[in-house]
Amino acid sequence: MTLSVLSVASEVFPLVKTGGLADVAGALPRALAPHGVDVTTLLPAYPGVRAKFGKLKSRHHWPDLLGTDAHLLETKLGDQRLLLLDAPALFGREGGPYIDANGRDWADNWRRFAALGKAAADVALGQVKGLSFDLLHAHDWQAALAPVYVRYAPGDAPKPSTVVTIHNIAFQGQFAASHFKALGLPAAAWSVDGVEYYGDLGFLKGGLASADAITTVSPTYAQEILRPEYGMGLEGLIAHRRGALHGILNGIDTAQWNPATDAALAMPFSRTALAKRKANKRALEKAFGLARGDGPLFVVISRLSWQKGMDMLIDSIDALVGMGARLALLGSGDAALEGAFRVAEARHKGRVAIQSRYDEPLSHLCQGGGDAIIIPSRFEPCGLTQLYGLAYACVPVVARTGGLHDTVINANAAALEAGVATGVKFDLAGADALIAALHQAVALYADRPTWRMLQRNGMAADFSWSTSGAAYAALYRGLCTRA
Ligand code: ADP
């Protein structure tokens, strides 16, 4: 029997993307199709998204969706159905999905994403003619009220099963309690078992308390968030719901990320033609204005943030250059961190360069032309850039946390001896630990046969969606048969 699933997210590649969530929400429908799961995706109709489609017919009209007029538009993304929540007062504005042009959160984010959750619940509950769903899958805090609205929906009609996925527990959607009234939820929802969160309104908290199942994006992160250091206030609730918690690793979209066919590369390559990567290295040097050279070229593709350990990377740059290595950094975010990278760039002209913008094709060239990718995250729910690195023979140098731990095989003596290593993994205890890992990577790079082995092992590893797609499908089926 085909299962019909409504997947709700605030960003979906290739329509709108600020991070890994978009990649995953964009890839899931195709990953699940072979397993008899038909996924419809619901996303806000931001102007940039709306512009990608012509005139669309309204499938449903809400005259008063949490105080605003809204339509549900239907179109297709590839073979799958895409629904857009067109609420101009909430989403029809220029800027990012969550922040304005000055980098400040939109003041009405609580209303914007509560409306997304309410609309998703209405659709999943069968209130739109011609659409019916067995299961509602909500991603992150922006969609997390959807299972809350399903849970508290009045009436005895059968309800869809619900799943919430935590892509990053650092973002919880916590707002003033005074907004609760405007959500249209019954008074019973304001409780420790509902959306009340330390006296505030907690979107993710409410979703975690209400969904039939909780998933997060790697097995190690699923364990980590049970502990206060990683759970960020939600560890108690998650421990309480441990029986409903699943760690399912993200896959990568091998249609988007295939070095043999990637149009963003100067020269496509494969596992048996790694020498061709040199042309990409030259193109990357040019794109960043770096001096030409055959020494190790490290890359970083990242949000510039504390989570990503970018402060420690800054403290490691002099040592990195001292090893004869170079650094190309593609990233944007925290202005102070960007400023510090600029200072390092000026100090090491031709050896360190930063491009501070969001540039999807350049991120592909970084993976295809860089020798190694540095990911010194303090925590990392799954991480995608190490997976792209593995697929593109850009050897990952990663902190031992979350999905980084689950996907990289450290080049210790045993793994090298067994011929299975794929990268360098270190315990992130500060910049010194990162510098030691960089030393190790540079030494491995100098040993050409060993480096080639790391590259080839990484490329041979399967991080496509096949395994994880099957895991999500099995979870969905278990929930739907139980219901
Ligand atoms: P997170 O979602 O926490 O930012 P992930 O590693 O899960 O981290 O996903 C980040 C995604 O965003 C990857 O697809 C990565 O290639 C991409 N990315 C990050 N920064 C940039 C950038 N400046 N330009 C292009 N792509 C970027």
Side-chain angles (χ1 to χ4, degrees):
M1 185 195 83
T2 300
L3 274 190
S4 188
V5 171
L6 180 67
S7 167
V8 193
S10 55
E11 48 183 282
V12 174
F13 184 85
L15 301 172
V16 50
K17 168 171 168 177
T18 72
L21 164 63
D23 288 352
V24 176
L28 260 185
R30 250 170 302 132
L32 284 160
H35 303 283
V37 180
D38 184 20
V39 179
T40 294
T41 302
L42 172 65
L43 167 83
Y46 310 109
V49 172
R50 195 68 194 75
K52 292 195 168 82
F53 301 94
K55 201 168 158 37
L56 297 175
K57 272 231 315 258
S58 173
R59 274 299 299 251
H60 185 75
H61 179 221
W62 288 270
D64 181 6
L65 180 66
L66 269 53
T68 191
D69 186 79
H71 284 271
L72 186 72
L73 309 178
E74 178 173 341
T75 181
K76 285 210 142 191
L77 188 58
D79 293 336
Q80 271 89 19
R81 187 194 283 130
L82 178 73
L83 299 174
L84 300 177
L85 178 60
D86 191 21
L90 301 179
F91 301 114
R93 49 182 91 161
E94 296 304 329
Y98 322 119
I99 54 177
D100 64 20
N102 299 316
R104 275 188 298 262
D105 284 353
W106 296 110
D108 58 350
N109 270 347
W110 65 273
R111 190 190 296 275
R112 300 170 78 228
F113 294 108
L116 179 66
K118 176 71 169 80
D122 286 357
V123 174
L125 284 161
Q127 291 174 15
V128 175
K129 227 172 130 202
L131 295 180
S132 74
F133 295 94
D134 302 302
L135 186 139
L136 169 71
H137 187 164
H139 298 273
D140 270 351
W141 75 263
Q142 294 90 345
L145 280 194
V148 179
Y149 280 111
V150 168
R151 173 181 167 196
Y152 289 105
D156 297 328
K159 293 180 175 178
S161 304
T162 54
V163 176
V164 166
T165 294
I166 305 167
H167 293 265
N168 190 338
I169 209 163
F171 305 111
Q172 301 188 351
Q174 193 172 345
F175 302 100
S178 54
H179 297 313
F180 175 71
K181 266 206 174 83
L183 299 183
L185 285 165
W190 186 260
S191 71
V192 282
D193 182 39
V195 295
E196 190 273 330
Y197 184 46
Y198 298 116
D200 279 345
L201 172 60
F203 277 37
L204 183 60
K205 191 262 162 162
L208 297 180
S210 302
D212 296 317
I214 300 168
T215 74
T216 190
V217 289
S218 70
T220 292
Y221 195 59
Q223 292 302 311
E224 287 174 342
I225 56 177
L226 294 166
R227 309 209 306 261
E229 312 90 274
Y230 295 94
M232 302 193 177
L234 287 167
E235 61 278 1
L237 171 60
I238 293 170
H240 176 67
R241 299 226 53 208
R242 201 183 200 142
L245 176 67
H246 307 261
I248 304 177
L249 205 60
N250 286 335
I252 65 173
D253 188 337
T254 47
Q256 295 294 333
W257 290 91
N258 179 352
T261 56
D262 193 331
L265 297 181
M267 175 80 82
F269 61 93
S270 66
R271 194 166 167 262
T272 49
L274 282 171
K276 290 186 178 171
R277 288 185 93 257
K278 203 167 202 164
N280 296 316
K281 191 166 177 173
R282 294 288 93 89
L284 184 60
E285 289 162 346
K286 219 164 147 201
F288 277 81
L290 288 167
R292 251 179 95 122
D294 287 327
L297 174 51
F298 288 101
V299 297
V300 171
I301 305 158
S302 185
R303 286 186 285 120
L304 301 183
S305 71
W306 181 86
Q307 177 203 335
K308 300 289 182 181
M310 291 294 109
D311 50 322
M312 288 183 266
L313 180 65
I314 288 163
D315 292 341
S316 309
I317 286 182
D318 292 350
L320 181 151
V321 173
M323 295 171 206
R326 288 161 300 151
L327 174 68
L329 186 145
L330 172 61
S332 55
D334 185 287
L337 289 170
E338 187 186 325
F341 279 117
R342 291 262 171 242
V343 171
E345 181 181 46
R347 195 165 62 240
H348 298 293
K349 228 171 166 350
R351 307 208 65 83
V352 173
I354 169 169
Q355 302 272 6
S356 62
R357 63 177 187 279
Y358 195 90
D359 188 330
E360 189 78 23
L362 188 57
S363 75
H364 285 237
L365 184 62
C366 288
Q367 298 280 14
D371 294 304
I373 180 162
I374 312 173
I375 313 175
S377 303
R378 287 187 166 87
F379 62 95
E380 193 58 76
C382 176
L384 290 173
T385 57
Q386 85 281 11
L387 301 182
Y388 301 144
L390 291 167
Y392 279 58
C394 186
V395 174
V397 179
V398 304
R400 193 187 310 275
T401 186
L404 300 174
H405 180 47
D406 290 333
T407 54
V408 176
I409 302 173
N410 186 28
N412 60 23
L416 286 173
E417 175 66 24
V420 296
T422 59
V424 173
K425 202 152 61 173
F426 61 98
D427 291 305
L428 190 64
D432 286 351
L434 172 55
I435 291 169
L438 294 175
H439 270 296
Q440 189 189 347
V442 169
L444 287 164
Y445 179 84
D447 175 356
R448 301 310 293 164
T450 300
W451 191 258
R452 279 280 186 256
M453 178 187 77
L454 293 179
Q455 290 180 302
R456 292 211 170 97
N457 287 346
M459 289 188 87
D462 180 6
F463 288 109
S464 70
W465 271 101
S466 53
T467 311
S468 302
Y472 275 111
L475 171 70
Y476 292 165
R477 278 193 199 286
L479 292 170
C480 292
T481 30
R482 206 182 54 189

